[in-house]
Amino acid sequence: MRTYLETLGCQMNKLDSELVVGMLRESEHTFVDDPKQAELVIYNTCSVREHAEDKVLSRLGWHDKRQADGAAAVVGVIGCMAQRMGGELTQRFASVDFVCGPGQIHRLPDLIDAALDGRKPVALDPARSEPRDAAAEAGVNRLDVSRRANALADEPALATLCDAQAYVRVARGCNQFCSYCIVPFVRGPERSRPPQAITEEVRKLLDAGITDVTLLGQTVNSYRHAEPNGPTTRFADLLAHLSCLPGLRRLRFVTSHPAGFTRDVLEAIRGLPNVCEYIHCPAQHGSDSQLQAMNRGYSRAEYDDFVAMAREVVPEVVLASDFIVGFPGEREADHQQSTELIRQAGFKNSFIFKYSPRPGTMAERTYADDIPDDVKKRRNAELLAVQNAASLAHHEGYVGREMEIIVTGPSARHDKQATPPTPQRMQLMGRSRGDHIVIVDGPERLIGQYVDVTVTGANDRSLFGDLRRQP
Ligand code: SAH
Ligand code: SF4
Ligand code: F3S
């Protein structure tokens, strides 16, 4: 069946899409990059901001029109927005044939069959307050473990990783309940996977040629697994187990939460040679009153302490953050505190988002969305400008230094170069251990390899390097 899959949202969704592609390929699906050519169209969706949902709603409107014009594709919605809206999607859009929550994706082959039979199945995860279904949990966990190491760099939706890189989930769900956030509602309570299952999965990936693994969790550093009557594995223990696996050159993890960031994890980064010196640990805001209204569970001083401790224990550490502007009640003075935090912390980069009220969250139910959009836009642009200057300064600090990168693919602009690219020489992109983007000219065969470069230049997004020696 010709299938088109589009993925929105975070790395969790990208990993889920990879698992979906691997599973559907076994039942004779081929993947195409144009929805018009597809017999089956699947959207793996995100609910984190209204904009992400609007994108999918407009795609579904397009499918409704096509269906009215007589074009027949089976259309399915999976992921977080599927979970949030459920049967409302099949009611609102005649073209939607099935809906599948993030904890049900192992059932997709059956759901597709039911949809082909003309039924309109809606398979959702239980609400947070309801008990989890053990069979469904086991089913979706099996999908993680049974995956092939099919790093799907050839699938457009998944082209963010090269053949040597893979995401591995260590936990599902989130218990943090930041007041603005939909994730705890759509992804359910936090469940840490057993360390044996994670180890088995990583070992399989390494056997298949993966060398660079990114562990995923919404608050990845709060990973904790207790065997009944047995040992408890905390996140630093998990890093220590995994780092011993032969063939693992790089191990990193996203996303960290500042409140539970303990010294042992920093010591693991310092002490374990393949654990990378990169921590994405969003601050979200620089002002105490906003942090409190966001229910983040730490103060500005505590975040500053985290940054200081990270730099003390791991002097080479590279930090990255997220910020929200225009959260309800944000005064100009609060906003200045975020600006100041970015000036001080030395983040490599920050993602900056305008607050978007999400239905059912504490913030949406409690506070009016009282910051006008033009103010949100201005504050967003201001934070971005301050972060861009900080990113440039951060990157400039590496000029003249040598570093190892993994070459991940052609650079985004490789075809716009003065001299046309050839397999012998093209503009390539790679990643440092600190997750810097590094642009370097070299032969195509280096993709997926580790090379040493000398950094010769920098801007606010990337470093530019020369190959020191080729393997
Ligand atoms: N678990 C991760 C990522 C969650 S979503 C973490 O805690 O960092 C990624 C980012 O989206 C968040 O860090 C936050 O900055 C942003 N975000 C989440 N909900 C949002 C909302 N309602 N409006 C705007 N940005 C939001
Ligand atoms: Fe959302 Fe907060 Fe959980 Fe991150 S930690 S997923 S921002 S509730
Ligand atoms: Fe979006 Fe779901 Fe990730 S809401 S950010 S795809 S966990």
Side-chain angles (χ1 to χ4, degrees):
M1 206 172 185
R2 285 191 312 278
T3 304
Y4 173 80
L5 169 67
E6 184 174 340
T7 308
L8 294 104
C10 63
Q11 292 100 330
M12 264 316 161
N13 262 16
K14 294 195 175 111
L15 170 57
D16 285 341
S17 282
E18 175 171 339
L19 302 183
V20 165
V21 171
M23 178 174 53
L24 293 186
R25 273 191 177 160
E26 283 178 12
S27 47
E28 316 214 324
H29 291 256
T30 52
F31 285 82
V32 296
D33 53 15
D34 176 2
K36 288 191 192 124
Q37 306 301 322
E39 298 155 288
L40 169 65
V41 176
I42 303 176
Y43 295 104
N44 190 4
T45 59
C46 172
S47 277
V48 84
R49 282 168 291 275
E50 193 176 5
H51 179 66
E53 291 199 344
D54 285 346
K55 262 193 183 165
V56 175
L57 295 175
S58 85
R59 306 270 198 284
L60 298 178
W62 179 79
H63 284 288
D64 268 10
K65 250 180 70 207
R66 273 175 68 82
Q67 193 183 53
D69 294 344
V74 172
V75 177
V77 185
I78 69 175
C80 295
M81 179 183 170
Q83 178 66 25
R84 192 182 80 72
M85 293 183 67
E88 192 188 330
L89 286 166
T90 45
Q91 281 155 21
R92 247 173 92 176
F93 297 96
S95 60
V96 173
D97 297 298
F98 66 90
V99 178
C100 173
Q104 308 292 323
I105 52 172
H106 57 294
R107 295 170 57 194
L108 267 181
D110 291 343
L111 297 174
I112 293 166
D113 283 347
L116 287 168
D117 276 353
R119 284 172 276 155
K120 298 215 165 202
V122 176
L124 300 179
D125 299 346
R128 258 193 97 97
S129 52
E130 293 167 9
R132 310 295 300 177
D133 173 349
E137 289 287 297
V140 74
N141 280 328
R142 229 176 359 254
L143 194 59
D144 280 70
V145 182
S146 67
R147 74 196 275 192
R148 301 234 201 88
N150 46 355
L152 296 161
D154 53 331
E155 294 301 339
L158 304 162
T160 46
L161 301 181
C162 75
D163 284 350
Q165 300 176 295
Y167 293 129
V168 170
R169 177 168 12 236
V170 303
R172 296 174 191 279
C174 183
N175 288 349
Q176 208 66 40
F177 281 102
C178 303
S179 63
Y180 49 79
C181 187
I182 196 77
V183 172
F185 299 90
V186 290
R187 289 270 171 172
E190 186 178 82
R191 290 95 78 202
S192 292
R193 294 177 60 206
Q196 301 83 347
I198 299 169
T199 309
E200 184 187 336
E201 188 179 331
V202 173
R203 194 175 275 138
K204 258 169 60 179
L205 292 168
L206 297 174
D207 285 347
I210 298 287
T211 56
D212 173 325
V213 168
T214 301
L215 305 177
L216 301 185
Q218 295 299 345
T219 55
V220 67
N221 51 315
S222 66
Y223 174 88
R224 186 185 183 88
H225 187 272
E227 289 297 332
N229 308 317
T232 296
T233 309
R234 293 165 314 136
F235 188 58
D237 304 325
L238 183 69
L239 290 176
H241 289 318
L242 295 176
S243 74
C244 297
L245 295 177
L248 182 60
R249 277 189 72 157
R250 285 187 181 178
L251 181 61
R252 71 173 100 237
F253 50 89
V254 287
T255 307
S256 296
H257 193 282
F261 210 105
T262 44
R263 205 178 181 93
D264 56 348
V265 176
L266 295 166
E267 279 161 1
I269 297 176
R270 184 179 57 193
L272 302 167
N274 48 7
V275 178
C276 295
E277 302 74 18
Y278 168 74
I279 306 174
H280 182 194
C281 191
Q284 309 295 2
H285 213 281
S287 131
D288 280 337
S289 58
Q290 289 271 290
L291 287 171
Q292 197 167 18
M294 289 178 172
N295 192 31
R296 285 290 289 177
Y298 52 86
S299 64
R300 166 65 182 278
E302 285 166 327
Y303 190 86
D304 290 346
D305 287 348
F306 155 73
V307 172
M309 175 171 73
R311 296 207 185 283
E312 176 213 321
V313 181
V314 188
E316 284 286 295
V317 76
V318 176
L319 300 174
S321 185
D322 296 353
F323 284 86
I324 295 177
V325 297
F327 186 78
E330 186 188 54
R331 298 160 306 175
E332 207 52 40
D334 297 315
H335 171 60
Q336 289 311 323
Q337 301 253 298
S338 288
T339 313
E340 186 208 57
L341 173 53
I342 293 180
R343 283 215 178 90
Q344 287 172 1
F347 300 122
K348 172 177 75 85
N349 68 297
S350 292
F351 297 101
I352 296 161
F353 303 107
K354 289 189 297 173
Y355 171 64
S356 166
R358 306 312 299 134
T361 57
M362 186 59 88
E364 186 262 350
R365 286 181 287 137
T366 318
Y367 309 117
D369 181 16
D370 60 355
I371 308 296
D373 199 51
D374 56 333
V375 177
K376 286 184 184 172
K377 276 199 185 117
R378 171 180 56 78
R379 290 179 181 168
N380 192 325
E382 281 172 11
L383 281 199
L384 206 60
V386 177
Q387 179 58 61
N388 286 347
S391 297
L392 177 63
H394 171 88
H395 282 135
E396 281 175 339
Y398 289 86
V399 175
R401 290 174 56 177
E402 281 158 15
M403 56 166 63
E404 179 201 71
I405 64 168
I406 178 170
V407 181
T408 53
S411 81
R413 301 176 58 87
H414 80 288
D415 53 349
K416 299 199 179 65
Q417 284 191 280
T419 46
T422 66
Q424 285 70 42
R425 196 163 182 81
M426 59 169 64
Q427 194 178 70
L428 298 168
M429 190 177 116
R431 293 272 172 174
S432 73
R433 287 172 60 99
D435 205 47
H436 302 101
I437 297 171
V438 185
I439 308 293
V440 64
D441 282 345
E444 189 178 19
R445 67 179 170 79
L446 294 183
I447 294 172
Q449 308 283 317
Y450 294 83
V451 294
D452 291 324
V453 301
T454 306
V455 180
T456 54
N459 64 22
D460 54 10
R461 298 180 60 89
S462 346
L463 299 172
F464 299 88
D466 278 342
L467 283 179
R468 279 184 55 219
R469 64 182 154 75
Q470 293 179 17

